Amino acid sequence: MKIIDSESLNPIKNVRILSKSQLFYTNDDGFAIVPETLEKYELSAPNYQTENIEKFKSEVRLKRGYKMIDEVKITNIDIKDIFNNVLKNYSNIYYDKPSLYDIIYKQKNFYDNTLAFLVIADAKLWSKTNQYNFRQGLNKNFDEILQIQLNSIKHISKNRTDSIFTGKTSEFSHEIVGNYFFNYELSRLMGILKSGNNKSLGTLTSQEGSSQFINFRIKAANGTNISGNFTYNTLNKAISRFEVSYDQSEFPILKKTSVDGRQFDYKMGIASIIFEFYVKDGKYIPSQYNFSGDDFIVILDGQKHTKKFNRQITYNTFTPSDNIGLNPKIDLVKDFWENFPNNEQKPDAVILSEEEANFLNITK
C-alpha cells in the first residue's frame, strides 16, 4: 500500500494504519506492507484528515486536515496545567496493566550526513504498567519496568567500525529505560517548568472537533531551548501524540571516553522524542515511539564529524499480559543488536525505503 498527499501527490511517511488487531506505519517513501485481506482500518497522520477504509487499496490519498486558527485569534495555553493533569490521571488515561507487544525496532545512524549504520529487528516488548516506575528505577530494577526479547535481526549493516561512531560509552542512566515511556518525558518537562528562571509559552494553533493541536516553547534555566507540539483531546483530557525537541547546541564541549578507553570531545545537538497512542476499550495504547538526534559533533584526533541518529519502535500488536515478563530477554545495558536473538521467524512487516535498500546493497 502507498499513501500520498491528495494535492501534491508526494508520499507521506509515518502514516499509521490501524486495524482491529494490527498496526502498521508507512516508510520514508510512503509504502507499508499490509495484508490484502485487511478490512476496516483507519489511516491517520499529523496534519491530515483521518480516513476509514473498508477494504484493501493499493493507493490512498489523504487530504490535509485541521482547521487553522486565524492568527489574531490564536489562544495562549497553560501547558504546565495540561501536563500536570495528564500526569496526575495517567493511569486512568493510558493502559496501566501488564502488556505484551510485537514490535519492529529500527535504528539508523548518519555520520557526516551519510547513512552509515542500519538495523531492523523483530522483537517482543513487555511492560508491567506501561509507564516508568521511578522507585524501581532508583533501585535499578529495570526488569520490573521494561523487558525486550529479540526475535530476529532482519537487516543489519554498517560501513564504519570505529566504536566511537557505532557504539556508545559505558555510561548507563535512567534515561535509557525512561525514554521509552511518556510519563518519564512529562515528568522531566514538569521538573523544568517548576524550576525557577524558565520561560514557557503554549499556543492553540488548530482544532478539529475535540482535538486541539498545541505548539509550545520553553527556555530552560540551563540554556536548553525546548520546543514541541502535541494533540490534546479535550473530552478525554488525554495527549494522543506528543513531540518535543531539546536544543542543547549552546552547551559547552564535553569530554567523553569510548568503550575501548579513548578520549574524544563531544558537542551536543538537538534531541527529539515522539510518542503516539491510539484508543482501545477506553484506554490509550502506544503505537510508535521515535527518539532522534541531529547535529551532534564528535571531535577525534583534531577531526570534526557530525552525527545524526534515529531509533524507532513500532508496536504492531498489543496483548494484555501477566507479571512474569519475558524469557529470554535482552541486556538493556548492551546495544540492542549486540544481544542474541532467539530466531523466532515472522513474516516481514517492514518495507525498506529506497535509501535503506541502496545502503544495504552498497555495504554488503
Side-chain angles (χ1 to χ4, degrees), residues 1-17 26 42-53 59-65:
M1 175 182 288
K2 185 177 184 179
I3 314 297
I4 62 175
D5 186 295
S6 62
E7 296 179 5
S8 67
L9 303 184
N10 291 328
I12 309 172
K13 67 178 182 179
N14 280 339
V15 177
R16 186 173 68 195
I17 305 165
T26 57
E42 177 190 273
L43 305 180
S44 60
N47 302 317
Y48 286 90
Q49 294 181 19
T50 298
E51 186 85 16
N52 289 293
I53 308 293
E59 181 180 285
V60 179
R61 301 182 180 188
L62 292 186
K63 297 178 181 178
R64 291 278 176 172

Side-chain angles (χ1 to χ4, degrees), residues 34-241:
V34 177
E36 293 189 10
T37 56
L38 194 66
E39 295 183 348
K40 295 184 178 180
Y41 51 96
E42 177 190 273
L43 305 180
S44 60
N47 302 317
Y48 286 90
Q49 294 181 19
T50 298
E51 186 85 16
N52 289 293
I53 308 293
E54 290 293 322
K55 292 186 179 296
F56 174 83
K57 292 183 178 180
S58 59
E59 181 180 285
V60 179
R61 301 182 180 188
L62 292 186
K63 297 178 181 178
R64 291 278 176 172
Y66 287 109
K67 180 181 179 181
M68 301 305 295
I69 296 175
D70 190 283
E71 187 174 352
V72 298
K73 297 180 181 178
I74 287 179
T75 305
N76 289 337
I77 298 292
D78 186 349
I79 57 170
K80 183 178 178 180
D81 186 55
I82 292 178
F83 295 168
N84 188 54
N85 286 336
V86 170
L87 270 177
K88 284 173 59 178
N89 298 288
Y90 200 87
S91 293
N92 296 323
I93 298 169
Y94 302 92
Y95 193 83
D96 65 338
K97 294 179 173 58
S99 307
L100 182 64
Y101 304 90
D102 287 309
I103 67 169
I104 299 295
Y105 179 100
K106 178 190 289 188
Q107 180 157 333
K108 294 194 285 188
N109 295 346
F110 296 80
Y111 302 104
D112 298 330
N113 298 314
T114 301
L115 181 59
F117 177 80
L118 171 66
V119 61
I120 301 173
D122 283 329
K124 286 184 171 64
L125 184 149
W126 174 91
S127 176
K128 194 168 188 177
T129 62
N130 286 280
Q131 56 186 297
Y132 189 74
N133 185 312
F134 287 88
R135 179 177 296 177
Q136 295 286 13
L138 183 64
N139 293 322
K140 298 184 178 179
N141 295 327
F142 297 114
D143 281 349
E144 289 293 310
I145 305 172
L146 171 75
Q147 296 177 22
I148 298 175
Q149 181 182 92
L150 178 57
N151 294 334
S152 64
I153 295 177
K154 295 290 188 180
H155 305 281
I156 185 168
S157 190
K158 59 186 177 182
N159 64 6
R160 203 154 195 166
T161 58
D162 196 312
S163 63
I164 291 176
F165 298 99
T166 58
K168 61 184 180 183
T169 65
S170 56
E171 301 167 359
F172 188 78
S173 67
H174 287 276
E175 286 188 337
I176 291 176
V177 176
N179 281 340
Y180 282 85
F181 298 99
F182 183 39
N183 75 308
Y184 183 90
E185 181 56 41
L186 285 181
S187 297
R188 175 162 45 200
L189 286 172
M190 283 302 298
I192 294 171
L193 289 169
K194 288 179 178 179
S195 64
N197 301 319
N198 70 74
K199 298 179 180 179
S200 64
L201 175 66
T203 55
L204 173 63
T205 59
S206 62
Q207 183 163 352
E208 187 72 25
S210 61
S211 292
Q212 295 181 334
F213 189 79
I214 298 169
N215 288 330
F216 67 91
R217 303 185 71 86
I218 304 169
K219 178 68 174 181
N222 66 358
T224 304
N225 291 304
I226 304 169
S227 61
N229 60 78
F230 59 93
T231 302
Y232 181 66
N233 187 297
T234 57
L235 294 179
N236 299 336
K237 307 297 182 184
I239 295 174
S240 59
R241 187 182 188 277

Side-chain angles (χ1 to χ4, degrees), residues 273-285:
I273 300 179
I274 300 174
F275 296 92
E276 289 192 2
F277 302 88
Y278 65 96
V279 180
K280 183 178 178 64
D281 299 328
K283 288 292 186 83
Y284 283 78
I285 294 169

Side-chain angles (χ1 to χ4, degrees), residues 311-354:
R311 182 173 73 216
Q312 180 186 86
I313 291 178
T314 300
Y315 298 81
N316 289 130
T317 66
F318 156 76
T319 307
S321 187
D322 52 39
N323 290 320
I324 299 174
L326 297 169
N327 184 27
K329 55 183 178 288
I330 70 170
D331 182 352
L332 294 172
V333 177
K334 294 182 179 179
D335 281 317
F336 189 89
W337 53 91
E338 291 180 345
N339 290 271
F340 290 103
N342 64 1
N343 296 318
E344 179 182 339
Q345 297 300 317
K346 295 183 178 180
D348 203 341
V350 175
I351 183 169
L352 297 171
S353 69
E354 183 177 356

